[in-house]
Amino acid sequence: MKSLYDKDGFLTGVPIISPAKALTHRSILEAVEAERGPMHYQFKAHTAMNSPYQLATLPNLLDIVEQLIGPDILLYSTSYIVKEAYSESHVSWHQDLTYWGLDSDAQVSVWLALSDASEASGCMHMIAGSHRNGQQHHHHTQDENNVLLSGQTINDIDPNQSVVASLTAGQASFHHGWTVHCSKPNVSDDRRIGLNIQYISPTVKQIKQQQDSAMLVRGVDNYGHFQTDQPAVANFDVHAWKKQQALDVKLKGIQGDSA
């Protein structure tokens, strides 16, 4: 896996949980949504919901992450990425690490499908090997259907060179922070639901501000560069909700600021 990841900048179609277990976690999410509204693109979801924390700390998932970034692993954030049926929402060609303020690319993004992510429902497309070119120039765009905080877009990408990273429920993809990728609108009749999980090495520093946070989920942290997040203790931890909202605002402030 490590050699393929180093070559292409991503892995896809990796089985993590059963389709039945994915449906269970989807149902938990949708029960929370019925109670408090959409959870789409809410950062640090694992501090207010136990379900994403359970998924992000699965031993078989962390075993793969360990192959990619080493034995010491911080959970940086989790967020549900939801495209409603027949939605125009999309994600333009971009690289995850562009505005994150991290001083290193010792990071990996995991996208765990809680429903099928097909071409029709707007799965991700990856440009193989693009991570080896480092950071590319992004343009800001004004597009209300673009999920990205700043509408950041890389121009002149040939979509014919992309790999379709379709997933069935319970499968995951893993991609490097400099891998160029996008996703298209959902033209299917079902929601496309994924849990996006961000892991970093404890060696990484946040250089935009001093108040960023993470959570050790494997190994040791000999650096202490981040404040410590606390995991939720229930499927929806009402007492942790306000704190999660503050964390979400703070992280969006970091990642949405191109300075």
Side-chain angles (χ1 to χ4, degrees):
M1 280 190 175
K2 180 68 162 63
S3 60
L4 183 61
Y5 181 82
D6 287 346
K7 178 175 75 73
D8 290 342
F10 65 91
L11 304 169
T12 190
V14 181
I16 300 296
I17 57 176
S18 68
K21 184 66 73 173
L23 179 59
T24 296
H25 284 276
R26 172 180 178 165
S27 298
I28 292 169
L29 165 65
E30 292 180 329
V32 170
E33 289 179 315
E35 178 180 343
R36 56 84 41 205
M39 283 295 294
H40 171 68
Y41 222 47
Q42 292 283 315
F43 290 153
K44 307 275 189 179
H46 60 286
T47 66
M49 292 176 61
N50 187 249
S51 170
Y53 175 72
Q54 290 178 9
L55 292 171
T57 55
L58 287 169
N60 62 330
L61 179 55
L62 293 177
D63 287 346
I64 298 170
V65 173
E66 180 172 340
Q67 290 185 50
L68 305 181
I69 65 171
D72 303 322
I73 302 170
L74 296 179
L75 173 58
Y76 185 46
S77 186
T78 61
S79 57
Y80 293 100
I81 308 296
V82 182
K83 286 184 184 174
E84 302 296 340
Y86 305 114
S87 167
E88 291 298 317
S89 294
H90 67 95
V91 178
S92 55
W93 291 109
H94 73 288
Q95 298 166 302
D96 285 345
L97 287 178
T98 305
Y99 300 136
W100 284 16
L102 303 181
D103 73 343
S104 164
D105 62 4
Q107 167 271 349
V108 62
S109 298
V110 176
W111 207 96
L112 177 58
L114 300 185
S115 67
D116 290 348
S118 63
E119 271 200 271
S121 66
C123 68
M124 284 192 289
H125 294 234
M126 309 275 194
I127 302 294
S130 55
H131 65 300
R132 297 196 299 271
N133 298 322
Q135 184 174 359
Q136 299 188 34
H137 181 67
H138 290 65
H139 299 272
H140 285 238
T141 63
Q142 299 296 322
D143 181 351
E144 63 182 12
N145 291 317
N146 192 341
V147 172
L148 296 174
L149 292 174
S150 301
Q152 58 265 33
T153 302
I154 302 173
N155 293 334
D156 302 322
I157 299 295
D158 181 359
N160 295 318
Q161 299 299 315
S162 67
V163 175
V164 178
S166 58
L167 302 169
T168 58
Q171 291 183 331
S173 63
F174 299 71
H175 66 270
H176 189 281
W178 295 130
T179 299
V180 176
H181 60 289
C182 76
S183 68
K184 299 179 180 180
N186 181 0
V187 298
S188 78
D189 60 2
D190 190 22
R191 309 176 84 196
R192 191 213 66 166
I193 305 173
L195 179 65
N196 181 244
I197 313 169
Q198 301 293 341
Y199 300 98
I200 57 177
S201 165
T203 61
V204 173
K205 289 182 181 179
Q206 172 57 255
I207 58 178
K208 281 189 174 181
Q209 56 118 295
Q210 301 300 312
Q211 305 300 314
D212 208 353
S213 57
M215 179 191 304
L216 185 69
V217 290
R218 178 168 287 188
V220 296
D221 179 0
N222 291 320
Y223 299 86
H225 292 155
F226 292 84
Q227 296 180 359
T228 302
D229 290 326
Q230 298 299 320
V233 297
N235 281 340
F236 183 55
D237 188 342
V238 177
H239 298 292
W241 175 242
K242 288 185 178 180
K243 186 172 182 179
Q244 183 275 333
Q245 290 289 277
L247 291 170
D248 174 70
V249 169
K250 181 169 65 176
L251 195 51
K252 283 176 178 167
I254 294 171
Q255 297 189 7
D257 176 10
S258 60

